[in-house]
Amino acid sequence: MLSGDTQVAAVIGHPVRHSLSPAIHNAAFAALGLDWAFVAFDVAAGATTAAIDAVRVLGLGGLSVTMPHKDGAALAVDRLSADAEALAAVNCVVPSGNGVLVGENTDGPGFLDALADQGVSPDGLRCVVVGAGGAARAVIRALAGAGAAELTVVNRTPERATGALALAGTVGRPGPPEAASDADLVVNATPVGMDGRSTPLPGVRFGPGQVVVDLLYHPPVTPLLAAAEASGATVANGLGMLVHQAAHAFRQWTGEEPPVDAMAAAAAAGLRERSAGTH
Ligand code: NAP
């Protein structure tokens, strides 16, 4: 039951209608019996600072930030975490004491937690990341920080790969798509495959012993994952990362340990509804 005491958290994005964040966070609040509610606000590009100011004015308990506001939010908050500063992007705003808004980026930690769910640690692995945008940059920083032995970045626009490689330290280098056939861990951080037909690594052969992660989760099995799985590789889509980045945000907003199983179940149900076209 909502009341005058209910603490409100939200996500801003554009478009945001299909966001799974309300389902994930409201399931978590319900599981723990917290008097919190989570809503989605469609905020036009260019209105990021006004939306962040609204967090202060309305006294929101937390804010998730998605496209196209992640870069602007990094400029609009009062302080940045180390991850958010390195990535110059914020996906989570945490109101701390005295009205100070802290910008966080939980994509990298969420990615690592999702990998851990698969029993995979990047320590000592040869990794290939396809893409050099916001998600790729978070994954590259996380993999380098978690001890990847090699980190090859494959990107359509080579200059952008060079920029992202600054986050990889000494293990990073640019490379061709074929590098993926020899890697221990391959991550697709591009939207290629969202149409259910295309793959970011056409012609690349995978095999047993490899782990292939697609950050996409709609469709749940992209052509990349289908090909990799058919070749005996271990595969995972991006739903785990989505849930775990939300879990990190939840922990910081509420101070409570996130009920990850309830959050994952809500995400999976939301995705099923979306796939069935009912939402
Ligand atoms: P972004 O900043 O726009 O970057 C997109 C990247 O994909 C760029 O490297 C771009 O290459 C590449 N790309 C785009 N279209 C391409 C094409 N047709 N062929 C080859 N490369 C192409 O986007 P983002 O925020 O990083 O998001 C990337 C994907 O990750 C999205 O699909 C998003 O839904 C997903 N994601 C998932 C999660 C999760 O929690 N699972 C979190 C964040 C993002 P150029 O540099 O050459 O333009």
Side-chain angles (χ1 to χ4, degrees):
M1 178 69 104
L2 303 182
S3 75
D5 288 328
T6 303
Q7 187 74 250
V8 178
V11 57
I12 57 167
H14 182 74
V16 79
R17 221 182 122 233
H18 292 297
S19 171
L20 294 173
S21 294
I24 293 171
H25 284 292
N26 284 318
F29 298 146
L32 297 191
L34 300 183
D35 187 10
W36 282 63
F38 192 102
V39 293
F41 292 122
D42 195 320
V43 173
T48 316
T49 303
I52 299 291
D53 283 341
V55 175
R56 306 176 204 278
V57 174
L58 300 174
L60 297 191
L63 187 75
S64 291
V65 180
T66 187
M67 294 296 286
H69 300 295
K70 290 186 177 184
D71 298 354
L75 300 172
V77 294
D78 302 311
R79 248 185 22 226
L80 294 172
S81 69
D83 279 335
E85 187 168 6
L87 298 168
V90 159
N91 77 336
C92 163
V93 177
V94 182
S96 68
N98 305 325
V100 172
L101 297 184
V102 180
E104 275 284 354
N105 197 308
T106 63
D107 277 339
F111 171 76
L112 292 179
D113 286 352
L115 263 192
D117 281 351
Q118 303 293 316
V120 177
S121 160
D123 197 13
L125 298 190
R126 292 165 303 152
C127 305
V128 167
V129 175
V130 189
R137 287 165 55 81
V139 167
I140 290 166
R141 177 171 158 83
L143 287 173
E150 291 174 20
L151 226 174
T152 304
V153 176
V154 177
N155 196 49
R156 177 177 63 177
T157 309
E159 307 78 59
R160 216 164 166 212
T162 310
L165 278 164
L167 295 158
T170 53
V171 296
R173 60 175 180 222
E178 296 71 39
S181 49
D182 292 328
D184 302 311
L185 171 66
V186 177
V187 182
N188 174 39
T190 77
V192 181
M194 213 174 227
D195 58 6
R197 293 188 302 275
S198 53
T199 165
L201 295 169
V204 170
R205 290 190 169 275
F206 298 102
Q210 289 187 289
V211 178
V212 179
V213 178
D214 201 325
L215 298 194
L216 297 174
Y217 44 82
H218 188 65
V221 183
T222 59
L224 172 68
L225 294 187
E229 192 166 29
S231 308
T234 301
V235 302
N237 68 21
L239 206 58
M241 174 175 169
L242 182 78
V243 168
H244 281 291
Q245 61 78 28
H248 279 274
F250 182 94
R251 187 182 290 109
Q252 300 213 42
W253 296 336
T254 65
E256 303 282 346
E257 215 28 53
V260 176
D261 288 349
M263 298 170 90
L271 194 58
R272 276 195 303 276
E273 265 184 50
R274 203 167 133 184
S275 298
T278 55
H279 191 61

